[in-house]
Amino acid sequence: MAWKTLDDMDLSGKTVLTRVDINVPMQDGKVSDDTRIQRIVPTVTDIRAKGGKPVLLAHFGRPKGQPVPELSLSQLVPALSAAFGTEVTFIERPSREALDALPSDAVVLIENTRFSAMEEANDPRMAGFLATLGDVYCNDAFSAAHRAHASTEGVAHLLPSCAGRLMQAELTALESALSKPERPVVAVVGGAKVSTKLDLLGNLVSKVDHLVIGGGMANTFLAAQGIDVGKSLAEHDMTDTAIEILAKAKEAGCEIILPVDVVVAREFAAHAANETVAADACPSEAMILDAGPATVEKIAKTLANAKTLIWNGPLGAFEIEPFDAATNAAATQAAEMSRAGSLISVAGGGDTVAALNKAGAAEAFTYISTAGGAFLEWMEGKTLPGVAALQKSAENT
């Protein structure tokens, strides 16, 4: 493991700067979904158990480098205190003296790091100031690891650094899925546009054995092969790129699975009149809204032999019935295999999580990433500044 965890650190009597993601939704001044808060509880609990004093660093919203009262982290104190089972002390303008004056088992929350323009600029002055506040740096915000900011990257070079429990779980899951996977590896990539996932597709074809392409993206690939996709969502200006990806996959020995049959309708609406036709027989006035049963069967056979699954994006218009059928079928099968211990399944991305939840499959997946941009950039093979900084710190100690 190229980065350290809390288990590698001596935290007794230490102040631990802990970067977390608590950018949670609010309604009427209260947290409306505390999922992100709950996910940092193990890290805060373990730091305290090891004798450390966690000092939480976080951003909230987009204040653009200026104090914005509505975006103060102070409003999260009640939810954080409830989650941790102890009172959280909020400090607007931190100093080492103020932190040292607090009890050794205190949990501290510092004001929104983005209230300073130096945060997003990764200004060495802010990183240096943050480093004066702690003895150890712990990054538990994988979702912000793709951003080189003072609190996510800069300070990690100035203190002994490690990954928190959530960061550790995320990195371990992703490494097992892409860096050192059990084969065969299947990737499911769906969604509306090829253009937003070019780097992802380009990286995956050289890493996986089978790549299932669904959603609007699949229509672009079908169109690239000269197939009329009617009024379907497709990027006709991306057909050359789609052909290049197909060629790259063939060269790499990666099988690309596209729909062989499709479910079409004349309107985008729940329970719209629909029919199943061959992938090359979409009526000119219709639109493709889901993969058909023959495609679902082909995906099922591929999944049945898989050892590792990476999933990003739905296979059809999962938001409306009955065009969620292909997504639900594949998700259910992956969930059953994961429960049986025969499949390592890692999924991420907003639509993906929503689709898997709708299918009732999310809880059975080996790991669900809520990191969004950081998850995608990792899958694209890019270096994440926040992770690279932890690796550098580990090398230097």
Side-chain angles (χ1 to χ4, degrees), residues 2-4 122 137 139 145 147-163 167 383-397:
W3 30 270
K4 292 187 175 181
N122 200 9
Y137 173 73
N139 192 341
R147 306 189 188 282
H149 293 172
S151 70
T152 61
E153 198 268 350
V155 68
H157 296 288
L158 305 176
L159 291 173
S161 300
C162 67
M167 173 79 88
T383 299
L384 306 186
V387 177
L390 293 183
Q391 293 170 332
K392 187 76 172 174
S393 177
E395 290 170 9
N396 294 337
T397 54

Side-chain angles (χ1 to χ4, degrees), residues 9 23 31 35 76 86 92 126 161 169 174 233 240-241 266 296 304 307 354 364 369 377:
M9 313 301 284
N23 198 16
V31 175
T35 302
L76 301 191
T86 188
E92 184 178 3
M126 182 167 178
S161 300
L174 294 181
L233 175 66
D240 287 347
T241 303
R266 272 71 179 173
V296 170
K307 293 294 184 184
S369 171
E377 290 199 17

Side-chain angles (χ1 to χ4, degrees), residues 201-373:
L201 294 170
N203 187 47
L204 287 179
V205 294
S206 63
K207 298 283 182 70
V208 307
D209 303 297
H210 309 276
L211 174 58
V212 178
I213 299 178
M217 294 174 59
N219 302 336
T220 300
F221 277 84
L222 293 174
Q225 295 172 309
I227 294 172
D228 182 0
V229 294
K231 293 184 177 179
S232 306
L233 175 66
E235 293 176 288
H236 295 283
D237 60 334
M238 297 296 295
T239 53
D240 287 347
T241 303
I243 293 295
E244 288 173 15
I245 291 170
L246 291 171
K248 185 176 179 181
K250 187 175 183 180
E251 186 181 333
C254 169
E255 179 195 18
I256 287 191
I257 298 173
L258 291 167
V260 293
D261 63 339
V262 292
V263 181
V264 302
R266 272 71 179 173
E267 60 175 331
F268 185 83
H271 304 292
N274 62 85
E275 60 186 304
T276 300
V277 299
D280 60 358
C282 176
S284 58
E285 76 282 6
M287 64 186 89
I288 298 169
L289 294 180
D290 200 11
T295 306
V296 170
E297 187 177 342
K298 188 175 183 181
I299 294 170
K301 287 180 179 176
T302 303
L303 276 179
N305 295 316
K307 293 294 184 184
T308 302
L309 170 67
I310 303 161
W311 190 321
N312 177 256
L315 295 173
F318 77 97
E319 309 94 333
I320 55 176
E321 297 179 357
F323 309 111
D324 56 353
T327 300
N328 289 350
T332 300
Q333 181 182 353
E336 290 172 354
M337 291 177 65
S338 300
R339 283 194 195 95
S342 62
L343 181 72
I344 295 169
S345 51
V346 177
D351 279 352
T352 311
V353 177
L356 296 181
N357 279 326
K358 189 169 182 288
E363 287 187 9
F365 268 58
T366 308
Y367 194 80
I368 298 280
S369 171
T370 56

Side-chain angles (χ1 to χ4, degrees), residues 160-191:
S161 300
C162 67
R165 296 307 186 199
L166 179 56
M167 173 79 88
Q168 178 184 353
E170 190 101 32
L171 291 177
T172 301
L174 294 181
E175 285 184 354
S176 69
L178 208 56
S179 300
K180 302 169 185 173
E182 282 192 57
R183 293 188 178 278
V185 183
V186 175
V188 173
V189 180

